[in-house]
Amino acid sequence: MIKKNFEQIIKEAKSVGLSKADKAELKRGLVNFIKTHPVRAEVVVRQQVLDGEKESILRIPWLLNRLKPMPIVLVIVLLLSGGTAMAAGGSLPGDALYPVKVEVNERVQGWLTFDTAAKADLNVRLAERRLEEAEKLAARGRLDAETQAEIEVRLNERAERARVLASRFADAGNLEISLNISSGLEAMFRAHELVLRGLLIVKPEAETSINAMLQGVKANTASSMEARSETEANLAANANADFEAAARGKMTAAENKIEEVEAFFDKKKESTDAELVAEAEVRLRAAETAFAEGKEKLAAEGYAEAFILFNQALWLAEEAQLTLAAEGNLGIKLDLPRAELRIGGQGSVNSDADEDKEENQNETEMDSEGSLEINLGY
Amino acid sequence: MGKEGEREKFLEAYDAWADAIFRHCYFRVSDKELAKDLVQETYSRAWAYLADGGVVENFRAFLYRIANNLIIDNSRKKKALSLDALMDEGFAPAANPTNSEAAIMGHDALRLVRSLDEKYREVIIMRYIDDLTPKEIAAVLEEKENVISVRLHRGLKKVKVLLEAEAQKSEKRK
């Protein structure tokens, strides 16, 4: 009796549909949309979507509701100008267009990313963007406690999303992609830890907020490192002969990246703060060493270890690149006193004794011929 | 495929599935006009993706996924604007069906799914009204297939409980 009722209810439900008139009306709207969005070969996804936003904003009232906090003048500007959503790209928390950037542009970017690995990379990139926003605000003296807390929430959401996807890949047996995501997170957080510690020194008036951000970043770095190490261990344990191709592929990727970053290094070293250059160089050399070790393992048919080493090389180079690019992104010069930054150290200035000790240690390690044991957590 | 071919194929997909997408949205958001908007938005975004060179294997699942994302997003915004949400949810099913309520499309099904948690509503609608397989539902919601199966099983049990309660109520009235 009850089952029959359910069936009847479902049958009735299935008869619900669009009226002929409605269906035709929507189709006309769609045809117009298609006319204004022709098939293009190589257009940035964003451009397409932004054009789409202009049309759909008019059709969907609830999208306008999102923009409620904006003054009416800006809403009209948004409706009339196709470029507004693009302009939102550089906005920061507190700017009028920031909600558009985060709620519309980035959200839609996510929807249109159907490849899960790309989605994970997108989340890493968006986590980084939150950090860059915090850094820019701090550099301009606009990072208050409330804003910092908001940014941190968003940052953690993105980082967590990336971590979840990484573990899904691992569960599905795809350790290479999982490792790539964890490594990407780690490199990104480590590079920004450096930048934040630099900002702490040059913007002491924002000490509280920057420190709060730094604590969050350190926690994220730690969990990313943990995930990465775990995946490396899994990979090593599950290696088989098929891994040769993967290892060679990673070698090529690492080689290209190192080459790219070396060129970038040469370009940037004169105009970048000496301390940042020094830190970048340390990582770049470590990348080269890891690469060389990887080649040795490859020759000895240790494909899993080779893969892991090439992966490390790649992400160390990436970290070096992020370090060099920091000042450009921030828009200010970080005039850092020598040897103030230590990747394993505290936020504030080290005591003289410690400073000398660590300085000597680093120099010794860089001079030695054997395998490099830099204290970078690898 | 040539430009014209893409367009034709896409419009065929509209003719084929617009009603189904509408139906899905309607039972999820309980609002005919909003459901219409969502259909147009779903197809527009799908086109934007294709026009940019995106490749889609299962177009039907692709449409459902876009629609689902739009619906989730909509409900998040509604939660944030509680006063507006109260006004949007003006449709409050009364205990005794009146003429005007019977005129609302799929009234019984609407009442039934509205009594379910979103988690179960999603999968019940997709399985029984949209006729998606558990595997397809898993692809749309980006969940594992056995998670979906469990959810369907539990959802169906809740449906049974609801229907039994209804039956008892109408018995009492007699």
Side-chain angles (χ1 to χ4, degrees), chain A residues 235-245 301 303-304:
Chain A
L235 222 146
N238 290 317
N240 53 32
D242 295 339
F243 227 66
E244 187 186 347
E301 292 182 17
Y303 298 127

Side-chain angles (χ1 to χ4, degrees), chain A residues 2 14 16 18 22-23 26-27 33 37 40 43 45 53 56 59 62 66 68 107-108 112 114, chain B residues 14-15 19 23 34 36-37 40-41 44-45 47 49 51-52 65 73 76 84 128 131 164:
Chain A
I2 287 166
K14 285 186 182 175
V16 166
L18 288 162
D22 283 341
K23 193 166 178 184
L26 292 180
K27 192 173 186 180
F33 183 81
H37 300 76
R40 277 186 262 183
V43 176
V45 174
E53 279 310 311
S56 48
R59 183 89 177 103
W62 53 262
R66 277 189 197 136
K68 256 188 182 141
R107 204 179 281 277
V108 169
L112 295 184
F114 280 77
Chain B
Y14 175 81
D15 291 332
D19 292 280
R23 191 177 312 134
L34 179 57
K36 277 166 65 179
D37 283 345
Q40 182 146 67
E41 192 58 25
S44 301
R45 292 190 197 272
W47 175 256
Y49 183 78
D52 187 62
R65 197 193 292 185
D73 223 61
R76 279 200 194 126
D84 289 358
Y128 296 105
D131 286 325
E164 272 176 26

Side-chain angles (χ1 to χ4, degrees), chain A residues 2-3 5-6 9-10 12-19 22-31 33-35 37-45 48-49 52-53 56-57 59-63 65-66 68 103 107-108 111-116 119 161 165 168 171, chain B residues 3 6-7 10-11 14-16 18-19 22-23 26-27 32-34 36-41 43-45 47-53 62 65-66 69-70 73-74 76-77 81 84 105-109 112 124 128-131 142-144 156 159-160 163-164 167:
Chain A
I2 287 166
K3 197 175 166 214
N5 259 340
F6 183 58
I9 289 174
I10 293 300
E12 205 181 276
K14 285 186 182 175
S15 67
V16 166
L18 288 162
S19 69
D22 283 341
K23 193 166 178 184
E25 180 200 330
L26 292 180
K27 192 173 186 180
R28 275 194 297 274
L30 202 56
V31 167
F33 183 81
I34 292 174
K35 276 201 190 114
H37 300 76
V39 177
R40 277 186 262 183
E42 247 135 60
V43 176
V44 173
V45 174
Q48 283 292 82
V49 167
E53 279 310 311
S56 48
I57 280 173
R59 183 89 177 103
I60 301 195
W62 53 262
L63 191 59
N65 280 343
R66 277 189 197 136
K68 256 188 182 141
E103 302 294 335
R107 204 179 281 277
V108 169
W111 291 350
L112 295 184
T113 308
F114 280 77
D115 172 57
T116 313
K119 224 181 189 113
R161 188 70 198 142
L165 291 175
R168 272 203 208 160
D171 289 342
Chain B
K3 199 169 141 184
E6 280 273 21
R7 184 179 168 276
F10 180 76
L11 291 173
Y14 175 81
D15 291 332
D19 292 280
F22 169 77
R23 191 177 312 134
Y26 174 73
F27 285 108
K32 183 178 147 189
E33 287 306 311
L34 179 57
K36 277 166 65 179
D37 283 345
L38 289 170
V39 170
Q40 182 146 67
E41 192 58 25
Y43 275 95
S44 301
R45 292 190 197 272
W47 175 256
Y49 183 78
L50 292 174
D52 187 62
F62 179 66
R65 197 193 292 185
I66 298 178
N69 282 338
L70 287 167
D73 223 61
N74 175 60
R76 279 200 194 126
K77 293 307 147 191
L81 311 164
D84 289 358
M105 303 185 298
H107 167 256
D108 288 317
L112 183 62
I124 293 287
Y128 296 105
I129 297 181
D130 301 323
D131 286 325
E142 284 180 291
E143 291 273 16
K144 292 194 182 150
L156 213 51
V159 165
K160 192 177 171 192
L163 290 176
E164 272 176 26

Side-chain angles (χ1 to χ4, degrees), chain B residues 1-126:
Chain B
M1 184 179 293
K3 199 169 141 184
E4 259 311 296
E6 280 273 21
R7 184 179 168 276
E8 283 320 304
K9 196 171 166 212
F10 180 76
L11 291 173
E12 272 170 32
Y14 175 81
D15 291 332
W17 293 317
D19 292 280
I21 298 292
F22 169 77
R23 191 177 312 134
H24 178 88
C25 294
Y26 174 73
F27 285 108
R28 295 282 298 276
V29 304
S30 322
D31 180 332
K32 183 178 147 189
E33 287 306 311
L34 179 57
K36 277 166 65 179
D37 283 345
L38 289 170
V39 170
Q40 182 146 67
E41 192 58 25
T42 300
Y43 275 95
S44 301
R45 292 190 197 272
W47 175 256
Y49 183 78
L50 292 174
D52 187 62
V55 173
V56 181
E57 278 176 17
N58 184 341
F59 202 73
R60 193 168 158 236
F62 179 66
L63 290 170
Y64 274 103
R65 197 193 292 185
I66 298 178
N68 188 57
N69 282 338
L70 287 167
I71 291 166
I72 289 171
D73 223 61
N74 175 60
S75 74
R76 279 200 194 126
K77 293 307 147 191
K78 276 171 73 172
K79 274 190 198 132
L81 311 164
S82 50
L83 183 59
D84 289 358
L86 282 172
M87 280 156 49
D88 284 344
E89 305 224 13
F91 167 65
N96 303 315
T98 61
N99 276 340
S100 56
E101 283 192 358
I104 290 170
M105 303 185 298
H107 167 256
D108 288 317
L110 202 54
R111 249 183 35 186
L112 183 62
V113 298
R114 280 173 67 88
S115 316
L116 293 169
D117 285 338
E118 181 66 24
K119 239 175 51 172
Y120 298 120
R121 192 186 310 167
E122 258 175 10
V123 295
I124 293 287
I125 291 175
M126 283 190 203

Side-chain angles (χ1 to χ4, degrees), chain A residues 67-120:
Chain A
L67 308 171
K68 256 188 182 141
M70 287 171 62
I72 195 71
V73 169
L74 280 168
V75 173
I76 293 169
V77 167
L78 191 77
L79 291 176
L80 293 178
S81 78
T84 306
M86 272 295 240
S91 61
L92 295 173
D95 294 345
L97 288 177
Y98 188 70
V100 177
K101 173 181 172 186
V102 171
E103 302 294 335
V104 177
N105 292 3
E106 289 181 1
R107 204 179 281 277
V108 169
Q109 235 182 315
W111 291 350
L112 295 184
T113 308
F114 280 77
D115 172 57
T116 313
K119 224 181 189 113

